[in-house]
mmCIF file of all heavy atoms in Angstrom:
data_model
loop_
_atom_site.group_PDB
_atom_site.id
_atom_site.type_symbol
_atom_site.label_atom_id
_atom_site.label_comp_id
_atom_site.label_asym_id
_atom_site.label_seq_id
_atom_site.Cartn_x
_atom_site.Cartn_y
_atom_site.Cartn_z
ATOM 1 N N GLU B 480 -1.373 -8.763 35.111
ATOM 2 C CA GLU B 480 -0.241 -8.767 36.044
ATOM 3 C C GLU B 480 0.981 -9.440 35.421
ATOM 4 O O GLU B 480 2.112 -8.981 35.581
ATOM 5 C CB GLU B 480 -0.634 -9.479 37.347
ATOM 6 C CG GLU B 480 -1.567 -8.663 38.234
ATOM 7 C CD GLU B 480 -0.998 -7.290 38.600
ATOM 8 O OE1 GLU B 480 0.211 -7.190 38.887
ATOM 9 O OE2 GLU B 480 -1.776 -6.303 38.564
ATOM 10 N N LEU B 481 0.746 -10.546 34.696
ATOM 11 C CA LEU B 481 1.853 -11.258 34.059
ATOM 12 C C LEU B 481 2.511 -10.387 32.989
ATOM 13 O O LEU B 481 3.742 -10.305 32.896
ATOM 14 C CB LEU B 481 1.342 -12.557 33.420
ATOM 15 C CG LEU B 481 0.836 -13.625 34.396
ATOM 16 C CD1 LEU B 481 0.032 -14.687 33.666
ATOM 17 C CD2 LEU B 481 2.024 -14.272 35.116
ATOM 18 N N TYR B 482 1.658 -9.694 32.197
ATOM 19 C CA TYR B 482 2.196 -8.843 31.124
ATOM 20 C C TYR B 482 2.926 -7.640 31.694
ATOM 21 O O TYR B 482 3.929 -7.183 31.147
ATOM 22 C CB TYR B 482 1.074 -8.394 30.179
ATOM 23 C CG TYR B 482 0.601 -9.490 29.255
ATOM 24 C CD1 TYR B 482 -0.451 -9.295 28.383
ATOM 25 C CD2 TYR B 482 1.219 -10.742 29.251
ATOM 26 C CE1 TYR B 482 -0.886 -10.299 27.532
ATOM 27 C CE2 TYR B 482 0.794 -11.751 28.422
ATOM 28 C CZ TYR B 482 -0.263 -11.530 27.568
ATOM 29 O OH TYR B 482 -0.681 -12.527 26.738
ATOM 30 N N LYS B 483 2.412 -7.128 32.822
ATOM 31 C CA LYS B 483 3.056 -6.003 33.482
ATOM 32 C C LYS B 483 4.480 -6.389 33.874
ATOM 33 O O LYS B 483 5.436 -5.671 33.596
ATOM 34 C CB LYS B 483 2.232 -5.619 34.714
ATOM 35 C CG LYS B 483 2.821 -4.509 35.549
ATOM 36 C CD LYS B 483 1.956 -4.254 36.774
ATOM 37 C CE LYS B 483 2.766 -3.514 37.839
ATOM 38 N NZ LYS B 483 2.036 -3.354 39.089
ATOM 39 N N LYS B 484 4.591 -7.563 34.471
ATOM 40 C CA LYS B 484 5.901 -8.043 34.919
ATOM 41 C C LYS B 484 6.820 -8.265 33.708
ATOM 42 O O LYS B 484 8.000 -7.894 33.740
ATOM 43 C CB LYS B 484 5.720 -9.352 35.703
ATOM 44 C CG LYS B 484 6.843 -9.603 36.667
ATOM 45 C CD LYS B 484 6.466 -10.623 37.724
ATOM 46 C CE LYS B 484 7.708 -10.997 38.522
ATOM 47 N NZ LYS B 484 7.621 -12.347 39.080
ATOM 48 N N ALA B 485 6.268 -8.865 32.659
ATOM 49 C CA ALA B 485 7.074 -9.117 31.453
ATOM 50 C C ALA B 485 7.600 -7.799 30.879
ATOM 51 O O ALA B 485 8.778 -7.697 30.511
ATOM 52 C CB ALA B 485 6.232 -9.852 30.413
ATOM 53 N N GLN B 486 6.748 -6.777 30.862
ATOM 54 C CA GLN B 486 7.189 -5.489 30.315
ATOM 55 C C GLN B 486 8.284 -4.869 31.167
ATOM 56 O O GLN B 486 9.239 -4.289 30.658
ATOM 57 C CB GLN B 486 6.002 -4.522 30.206
ATOM 58 C CG GLN B 486 5.052 -4.901 29.077
ATOM 59 C CD GLN B 486 3.753 -4.124 29.141
ATOM 60 O OE1 GLN B 486 3.683 -2.975 28.725
ATOM 61 N NE2 GLN B 486 2.711 -4.747 29.652
ATOM 62 N N GLU B 487 8.151 -4.999 32.482
ATOM 63 C CA GLU B 487 9.191 -4.449 33.369
ATOM 64 C C GLU B 487 10.542 -5.099 33.080
ATOM 65 O O GLU B 487 11.568 -4.425 32.964
ATOM 66 C CB GLU B 487 8.804 -4.682 34.835
ATOM 67 C CG GLU B 487 7.789 -3.668 35.347
ATOM 68 C CD GLU B 487 7.281 -3.998 36.748
ATOM 69 O OE1 GLU B 487 7.280 -5.186 37.138
ATOM 70 O OE2 GLU B 487 6.898 -3.048 37.449
ATOM 71 N N ILE B 488 10.522 -6.438 32.958
ATOM 72 C CA ILE B 488 11.785 -7.151 32.723
ATOM 73 C C ILE B 488 12.355 -6.797 31.350
ATOM 74 O O ILE B 488 13.556 -6.528 31.209
ATOM 75 C CB ILE B 488 11.578 -8.678 32.839
ATOM 76 C CG1 ILE B 488 11.085 -9.036 34.236
ATOM 77 C CG2 ILE B 488 12.862 -9.421 32.498
ATOM 78 C CD1 ILE B 488 10.653 -10.480 34.375
ATOM 79 N N ILE B 489 11.473 -6.766 30.352
ATOM 80 C CA ILE B 489 11.944 -6.486 28.990
ATOM 81 C C ILE B 489 12.557 -5.088 28.904
ATOM 82 O O ILE B 489 13.620 -4.898 28.333
ATOM 83 C CB ILE B 489 10.800 -6.652 27.966
ATOM 84 C CG1 ILE B 489 10.446 -8.136 27.824
ATOM 85 C CG2 ILE B 489 11.186 -6.079 26.610
ATOM 86 C CD1 ILE B 489 9.165 -8.405 27.077
ATOM 87 N N VAL B 490 11.894 -4.119 29.518
ATOM 88 C CA VAL B 490 12.434 -2.761 29.463
ATOM 89 C C VAL B 490 13.772 -2.705 30.208
ATOM 90 O O VAL B 490 14.715 -2.071 29.746
ATOM 91 C CB VAL B 490 11.417 -1.738 30.015
ATOM 92 C CG1 VAL B 490 12.060 -0.361 30.175
ATOM 93 C CG2 VAL B 490 10.213 -1.642 29.083
ATOM 94 N N ARG B 491 13.878 -3.412 31.330
ATOM 95 C CA ARG B 491 15.139 -3.445 32.077
ATOM 96 C C ARG B 491 16.239 -4.106 31.243
ATOM 97 O O ARG B 491 17.356 -3.617 31.165
ATOM 98 C CB ARG B 491 14.927 -4.220 33.386
ATOM 99 C CG ARG B 491 16.086 -4.119 34.372
ATOM 100 C CD ARG B 491 15.975 -5.206 35.421
ATOM 101 N NE ARG B 491 16.149 -6.524 34.824
ATOM 102 C CZ ARG B 491 15.577 -7.648 35.276
ATOM 103 N NH1 ARG B 491 14.797 -7.622 36.326
ATOM 104 N NH2 ARG B 491 15.807 -8.793 34.677
ATOM 105 N N ASP B 492 15.900 -5.215 30.572
ATOM 106 C CA ASP B 492 16.878 -5.924 29.739
ATOM 107 C C ASP B 492 17.228 -5.166 28.460
ATOM 108 O O ASP B 492 18.243 -5.447 27.819
ATOM 109 C CB ASP B 492 16.354 -7.313 29.354
ATOM 110 C CG ASP B 492 16.413 -8.296 30.517
ATOM 111 O OD1 ASP B 492 17.045 -7.947 31.535
ATOM 112 O OD2 ASP B 492 15.834 -9.393 30.405
ATOM 113 N N ALA B 493 16.341 -4.267 28.040
ATOM 114 C CA ALA B 493 16.579 -3.381 26.895
ATOM 115 C C ALA B 493 17.075 -4.091 25.634
ATOM 116 O O ALA B 493 18.086 -3.709 25.069
ATOM 117 C CB ALA B 493 17.553 -2.269 27.304
#
Side-chain angles (χ1 to χ4, degrees):
Chain B
E480 286 304 319
L481 293 165
Y482 285 177
K483 177 183 160 186
K484 204 162 171 207
Q486 287 169 80
E487 280 173 333
I488 299 171
I489 289 168
V490 171
R491 190 196 66 210
D492 285 349

